[in-house]
Amino acid sequence: MKIREKMLPVLQPKGGKEEIKALQEVIESGWWGKGPKVAEFEEKFAEMVGHKYAVAVTSASHGQDLIMKALGLKGIDVINPAISFIATAMIPLWNNFTSNIVDVKRDTLCIDPQDVERYKKPNSEVLIAVNQAGVSADYEELRKVFGGFILEDTAHSCYTPGAGLGGDAAVWSFQAVKTMPTGDGGMITTNDKQLAEKCREMTWFGVSSTWSRASGAKPGYAWDYQVDLVGYKYYMIDIIAAIGLEQMKKLPENLKFRRHIQDRYNNELHPLLERPPHSETVQYYVARLEQNRKYAPDGSGFTTIYDRDSLIDYLADKKIHTSVHFKPLYMYSPLEQNRDYPVCKTEWVKLISLPCHNAMLEEDIDYVIYWVNKYFEERV
């Protein structure tokens, strides 16, 4: 097969005329900041995921930060899974908390309840459970071993039915390569009215939104407001929400295509490549490849036949971009831990994310399958 001229990205957003029209309407309305589109987005998103309250924010990371601040806790320990993007364990450090990183389950790469029970501390008050690649963590078992606040990180699971309902609150991501991309942005959802209201207050320095005051019962703009708490600038704006509303309409079909890619990979890739567990969102298609070595006939030592890193390099030469989701958190200097991680140590060196996104064509899927299989044909 002829090698592509342009790199096939591992992740990529896809928009169209609907998003352009929605943006035009917002621009022409004269209301670009937090306004009616944000309110509509919050209402429809809460309905979709089955929560009573939704607070639109600048990112899922800022949503996580707001929840930690709203809880009003001091000097606590926050439990995190070892396989995750660095934000989940870095944000507790913003709040002068400690990040307690525990191992994951081999099958799902989600946080391991047994490791939570083993390493939780007297001041472990918050647990962050990441639905890795859209596969839900085991919330039933987590509830049995952890009695504190469970924050469900649903950045990869928008929208897996039931996602967001396992914890006490959830944070969602609309970052540029997520399943419902808006460029950036996020959402807090919860059934806790007090938590939702406090997070909402803090999204703009403790000030009630301009839109809420301008659209009140009295005509005109109510300029006076009271500030009763320390707040931040974490609110979503209508420009972002307008894209989100259009992407939400497309989400069912977009996820259907992602699952189509998943099915083709599962059915057609070489059997030496271990398939990931089924995902409804397929935020990432995270396959695994175990290193295979043999002893050289000349007695010079062992040589690698195939492994994850050589597959990454091989596919890059064929203009196929891959990635690793994720390097374990404890391997970063600010998050080092003094313990063993037997599952992560064994599994993360096998992980390889293949291209999976809605901008792909059938011929792109064919292309990935062909070159992955060719890699093994040349070595086995």
Side-chain angles (χ1 to χ4, degrees):
M1 181 177 286
K2 184 179 179 181
I3 297 176
R4 296 166 55 102
E5 293 183 3
K6 187 177 179 181
M7 184 70 77
L8 174 64
V10 65
L11 299 167
Q12 183 179 327
K14 183 182 179 182
K17 60 184 179 180
E18 298 84 3
E19 287 83 1
I20 294 171
K21 182 181 178 183
L23 286 173
Q24 182 179 351
E25 289 174 357
V26 170
I27 291 168
E28 291 176 350
S29 76
W31 201 286
W32 294 12
K34 181 181 179 181
K37 290 293 183 183
V38 171
E40 181 184 357
F41 190 28
E42 289 175 335
E43 181 181 354
K44 290 183 175 178
F45 194 84
E47 182 180 357
M48 181 180 78
V49 305
H51 266 154
K52 293 179 181 178
Y53 310 103
V55 181
V57 289
T58 40
S59 69
S61 298
H62 284 160
Q64 180 182 323
D65 188 39
L66 280 179
I67 289 172
M68 290 187 178
K69 288 173 166 54
L71 291 174
L73 301 169
K74 303 293 183 183
I76 65 164
D77 178 71
V78 180
I79 301 175
N80 292 270
I83 297 291
S84 177
F85 181 57
I86 195 169
T88 57
M90 188 69 77
I91 294 163
L93 304 186
W94 295 359
N95 292 276
N96 295 315
F97 302 159
T98 55
S99 277
N100 181 357
I101 299 168
V102 302
D103 214 341
V104 296
K105 298 175 69 175
R106 194 227 174 258
D107 55 349
T108 63
L109 299 179
C110 293
I111 192 166
D112 185 350
Q114 292 184 3
D115 230 42
V116 171
E117 186 171 28
R118 185 178 298 116
Y119 291 111
K120 65 183 178 182
K121 302 174 183 178
N123 67 333
S124 295
E125 298 285 347
V126 175
L127 181 148
I128 300 171
V130 178
N131 297 339
Q132 175 64 13
V135 178
S136 291
D138 190 342
Y139 293 96
E140 184 177 345
E141 289 302 312
L142 287 171
R143 289 290 185 192
K144 292 178 182 178
V145 301
F146 184 76
F149 187 94
I150 295 180
L151 175 54
E152 186 172 350
D153 186 330
T154 52
H156 304 168
S157 50
C158 183
Y159 177 64
T160 297
L165 304 180
D168 297 291
V171 289
W172 308 79
S173 176
F174 312 126
Q175 187 262 349
V177 295
K178 295 299 190 293
T179 53
M180 208 175 88
T182 63
D184 212 337
M187 194 79 75
I188 299 167
T189 64
T190 183
N191 287 326
D192 185 330
K193 183 179 181 180
Q194 184 177 0
L195 177 63
E197 288 180 348
K198 193 165 186 182
C199 287
R200 193 180 305 280
E201 273 189 283
M202 290 194 298
T203 58
W204 191 32
F205 302 113
V207 178
S208 58
S209 75
T210 304
W211 169 253
S212 66
R213 286 179 281 115
S215 59
K218 293 183 179 180
Y221 171 55
W223 59 267
D224 195 14
Y225 49 80
Q226 182 64 31
V227 175
D228 298 314
L229 79 172
V230 174
Y232 308 86
K233 194 177 181 185
Y234 283 176
Y235 62 84
M236 183 181 284
I237 62 174
D238 273 23
I239 289 173
I240 297 297
I243 300 174
L245 286 165
E246 296 305 317
Q247 284 286 314
M248 189 185 300
K249 295 174 188 175
K250 298 178 179 181
L251 187 60
E253 284 301 312
N254 285 348
L255 295 184
K256 183 178 178 181
F257 184 70
R258 284 177 174 268
R259 291 192 294 271
H260 168 68
I261 298 172
Q262 177 178 240
D263 289 342
R264 287 209 56 195
Y265 283 170
N266 285 347
N267 293 329
E268 300 177 48
L269 288 173
H270 196 280
L272 284 172
L273 203 65
E274 182 181 341
R275 277 58 168 165
H278 176 81
S279 172
E280 287 292 304
T281 63
V282 207
Q283 170 62 64
Y284 310 114
Y285 186 89
V286 185
R288 301 186 213 187
L289 181 59
E290 188 166 2
Q291 184 185 61
N292 185 283
R293 300 193 305 164
K294 68 177 181 180
Y295 197 74
D298 61 5
S300 59
F302 284 96
T303 182
T304 298
I305 304 173
Y306 55 80
D307 66 356
R308 186 270 309 273
D309 292 346
S310 66
L311 177 56
I312 288 174
D313 292 341
Y314 180 88
L315 294 178
D317 287 340
K318 311 306 179 189
K319 301 293 185 181
I320 299 172
H321 182 208
T322 60
S323 190
V324 175
H325 293 102
F326 293 95
K327 180 178 176 179
L329 293 175
Y330 58 81
M331 298 183 74
Y332 297 104
S333 296
L335 301 169
E336 289 179 358
Q337 312 277 310
N338 185 25
R339 71 175 64 137
D340 294 326
Y341 295 85
V343 175
C344 275
K345 182 179 180 181
T346 302
E347 299 303 319
W348 93 269
V349 293
K350 306 175 187 177
L351 304 180
I352 176 170
S353 295
L354 299 177
C356 183
H357 52 82
N358 292 98
M360 291 179 72
L361 305 173
E362 286 294 332
E363 61 195 58
D364 297 326
I365 306 171
D366 294 338
Y367 188 82
V368 173
I369 292 169
Y370 176 86
W371 285 112
V372 169
N373 291 345
K374 194 70 174 176
Y375 167 87
F376 290 104
E377 289 174 14
E378 293 175 3
R379 286 159 175 76
V380 180

